[in-house]
Amino acid sequence: MSIAIREVLRFSVRRARRWIGRPAAACALSMALLPALANAQRTVVKPGWNMFSPEQDVEIGRSVSANAERQLPMLNDARVDAYLNRLGRRLAEKAQGVRYPYQFKAVNDKAINAFALPGGFLYVNRGLIEAADNEAQLAGVLGHEIGHVALRHGTNQASKAQVAQAPLAILGGVLGSGSVGSVLAQLGAGFAANSVLLKYSRDAERQADILGTQILYDSSYDPRAMSQFFEKLQAEGKSGRPAEFFSSHPNPENRAKRVTEEIAKLGGVPATYSSDSPEFVEIKRYVKQLPAPVAAAAGGAGGHPSAPSDQLQTFANDRLKIEHPRNWLSYGQGSAVTFSPEGGLAADGRGNSALTYGMMINEFGLAKDQGKTTLRNATHQLIEELRRANPGMTLMRQENRRLSEERALSSHLSGKSPLGGRERVWLVTVLTNDGLLYFAGVAPEETFSAYEPVFTKMLDSVRFSEPDRRL
Ligand code: ZN
């Protein structure tokens, strides 16, 4: 089942408020004052409106990064990570605003890409290191990413989306097949929270370029490298696939011209600057000779996940407790959570992540005037939304049941599987104060009978948290 059910999967506003109202974590962040009179001419870029605190940027980034690292083929090479941290932190010192606890990690992926999560969690593909002609070019990309963090673009977007009642915080962290690009593609839709955090507007791109240019300048790198590398990527993209970088960082118009203008405002290309370092040359050579990444285990391209373990494991969040097979991973953000075996997710061909084996739990926000809707009506709305994302899905049968002593509705749906063939979606819904809580067990039609007892066991194990008792 495609998870990209944007309208369906709403972050509960009540929940968001509670989260936002949470006292700031005791996290040592301080406002760094811009060096006074550093340069009166430089463009002042200001972070946009944000409903989250800087501490929450870190909290969000840390949570999403934990999910990301479970799914990404991390390079886990102390030498490369140490180099990236030395370079990255040196650059981050020059960034304006909040001093985030930056950390940099290399991903064992040849695609040319990098991404930054709120709070300063930066990921750099080995492909980027290998493609950069010199350290200044790598520093340019890092400076740009640091710009997104410092300007809090991720949580700014999330704030705007929240206010617009747009989808947020869905199945955070289910990051399919392992390349940063596919992760980003999936974050783009399947993981609305994350997509909001990572999909930048062209305005945000322009701001990150300006801040990146200033960072390069202030770090004594050739500031022209800010646009050189992007221009190079773009030129290479014209003859083939565009670099993955542009899937999450839309290329702003006149990029090079803006960078040139900013350099002029800063006083022109400095008389002395550095473009490269022996350390970069050494790291690039080292990375290049590392064994090629093993193709990521196909999340469904013909492969079957291993059978669900008989041993169960308890998962609990602030809303409920549920047991799931021990060999299934849980991915979650806020009240949304997905349980899936390795290989239980697939790309649906439209840039979204699709759950092909497993169960997702989430809340379907109902319109305000729907306060008095019935369980059956609300479920009907949810199914309509599911059909929008999964055309051709049909309702086979519906029956009442109980879920942790609450009145629930069980709906059996049949749809097209992203793996080819048909799949079954067993949907169990319960009305809550905020909307409709749903449990969707998904498996291909031909194996559903093997998964149904697992889903039944899981559903039978559900216990709602007392203070959060819904009915
Ligand atoms: Zn960007």
Side-chain angles (χ1 to χ4, degrees), residues 144-145 148 200 205 208 245 248-249 255:
H144 175 98
E145 296 296 337
H148 283 309
Y200 306 118
E205 288 305 306
F245 187 84
S248 52
H249 300 262
R255 175 165 237 158

Side-chain angles (χ1 to χ4, degrees), residues 186-412:
Q186 287 161 14
L187 293 175
F191 303 85
N194 306 4
S195 84
V196 171
L197 297 175
L198 282 173
K199 281 221 159 165
Y200 306 118
S201 65
R202 285 197 159 73
D203 269 341
E205 288 305 306
R206 277 189 279 275
Q207 284 198 332
D209 276 358
I210 289 170
L211 196 52
T213 307
Q214 295 174 356
I215 289 171
L216 286 188
Y217 186 90
D218 294 339
S219 313
S220 306
Y221 280 104
D222 181 354
R224 292 169 298 190
M226 184 63 236
S227 57
Q228 276 166 1
F229 186 64
F230 293 140
E231 298 286 309
K232 170 183 144 159
L233 285 188
Q234 204 188 4
E236 283 168 7
K238 278 185 182 134
S239 54
R241 240 171 94 231
E244 288 197 352
F245 187 84
F246 297 125
S247 64
S248 52
H249 300 262
N251 211 5
E253 277 172 25
N254 305 320
R255 175 165 237 158
K257 190 166 156 263
R258 279 167 205 280
V259 169
T260 307
E261 282 168 5
E262 188 60 26
I263 295 170
K265 286 181 189 173
L266 291 165
V269 178
T272 54
Y273 56 77
S274 102
S275 286
D276 215 347
S277 76
E279 214 185 354
F280 172 78
V281 173
E282 184 53 27
I283 283 291
K284 179 172 167 174
R285 193 198 54 75
Y286 173 72
V287 170
K288 276 194 150 170
Q289 58 77 46
L290 288 174
V294 181
H304 291 285
S306 45
S309 159
D310 286 335
Q311 289 193 317
L312 299 177
Q313 183 172 329
T314 305
F315 168 91
N317 62 18
D318 63 350
R319 162 162 292 191
L320 54 79
K321 254 195 223 170
I322 185 171
E323 293 186 342
H324 63 87
R326 182 161 279 179
N327 62 343
W328 287 13
L329 300 165
S330 64
Y331 310 95
Q333 285 267 299
S335 60
V337 62
T338 294
F339 303 99
S340 176
E342 214 156 312
L345 299 162
D348 70 354
R350 286 169 294 170
N352 304 319
S353 163
L355 178 65
T356 49
Y357 294 85
M359 181 184 280
M360 70 168 101
I361 305 173
N362 204 351
E363 190 159 79
F364 176 43
L366 299 168
K368 284 242 157 57
D369 55 355
Q370 301 278 321
K372 286 189 210 107
T373 192
T374 62
L375 173 58
R376 203 165 277 267
N377 275 340
T379 303
H380 178 71
Q381 281 182 49
L382 168 62
I383 292 172
E384 283 310 302
E385 292 289 353
L386 287 170
R387 279 199 182 119
R388 245 172 259 179
N390 302 268
M393 186 177 259
T394 56
L395 175 62
M396 296 159 64
R397 61 172 210 274
Q398 242 175 3
E399 67 248 347
N400 294 318
R401 63 165 283 149
R402 311 294 291 186
L403 189 75
S404 180
E405 297 165 34
E406 307 293 354
R407 206 161 65 79
L409 188 62
S410 170
S411 311
H412 285 265

Side-chain angles (χ1 to χ4, degrees), residues 30-53:
S30 61
M31 291 299 293
L33 297 172
L34 272 173
L37 307 169
N39 192 315
Q41 294 294 309
R42 67 177 57 202
T43 305
V44 179
V45 228
K46 289 194 184 127
W49 175 76
N50 207 308
M51 74 199 302
F52 301 93
S53 67

